[in-house]
Amino acid sequence: MAADIKTENQPYDDINITPMLDLAYVLLVTFIILTTASVQGVKVRSPQTQAQKNLAKPQTRAVTITADGAVYLDAYPVDMQQLQSTLAQYKAANPNLPVVLKADAAAQYDKVMEVLETVKKLDITEIGLVTKRAGAEGS
């Protein structure tokens, strides 16, 4: 029995691998989660068709007002009559048409109100006003 008792200065003959196995299991679980999260779907080769138009059109329409008062609908310059007729066509195709209004900070308030009145006449209820977060530099 005296041989089983070790003094403090004697080296150990065995290695405790429990912490190393714990780390290995944590890494294994992490890699499993990351690889399954990165998979977005099954890759398939889509068939080709002869259709000319894409059926999935973007639904949101953007109205932009520049500092000099020019109005753009989806990056195309329009006057107020064209804006109203074009938005009316889009509204007829999609009753829940979302519109985003992006105006320059130096744009005249009456032009912004004129665009909002046009949108209100067409009964477009989903409208968003684009702003820039305070302190955000760039873009």
Side-chain angles (χ1 to χ4, degrees):
M1 277 227 261
D4 291 339
I5 300 174
K6 296 184 179 182
T7 63
E8 290 183 24
N9 293 334
Q10 279 186 324
Y12 289 104
D13 292 339
D14 56 350
I15 298 174
N16 187 3
I17 61 168
T18 304
M20 186 173 56
L21 289 176
D22 289 342
L23 178 65
Y25 290 138
V26 168
L27 288 175
L28 179 66
V29 169
T30 303
F31 286 131
I32 290 173
I33 291 172
L34 288 177
T35 55
T36 56
S38 67
V39 175
Q40 297 296 323
V42 178
K43 290 185 179 182
V44 295
R45 206 180 78 202
S46 299
Q48 296 181 356
T49 62
Q50 298 298 325
Q52 296 296 322
K53 292 187 179 182
N54 186 4
L55 297 178
K57 294 181 181 178
Q59 296 295 316
T60 304
R61 299 297 170 188
V63 179
T64 306
I65 303 172
T66 61
D68 60 353
V71 179
Y72 293 86
L73 177 62
D74 293 334
Y76 297 106
V78 293
D79 61 10
M80 294 311 291
Q81 292 296 329
Q82 290 173 330
L83 177 68
Q84 184 171 357
S85 65
T86 307
L87 283 178
Q89 291 173 359
Y90 291 144
K91 174 75 174 171
N94 181 9
N96 297 324
L97 177 71
V99 174
V100 176
L101 177 60
K102 181 178 182 181
D104 192 281
Q108 296 206 359
Y109 188 69
D110 61 341
K111 191 57 108 173
V112 174
M113 288 307 300
E114 191 176 352
V115 170
L116 286 174
E117 284 294 323
T118 302
V119 170
K120 184 179 178 183
K121 284 180 195 174
L122 296 172
D123 197 30
I124 297 174
T125 57
E126 294 186 32
I127 184 162
L129 301 175
V130 177
T131 60
K132 190 174 185 181
R133 187 176 304 163
E137 297 298 321
S139 63

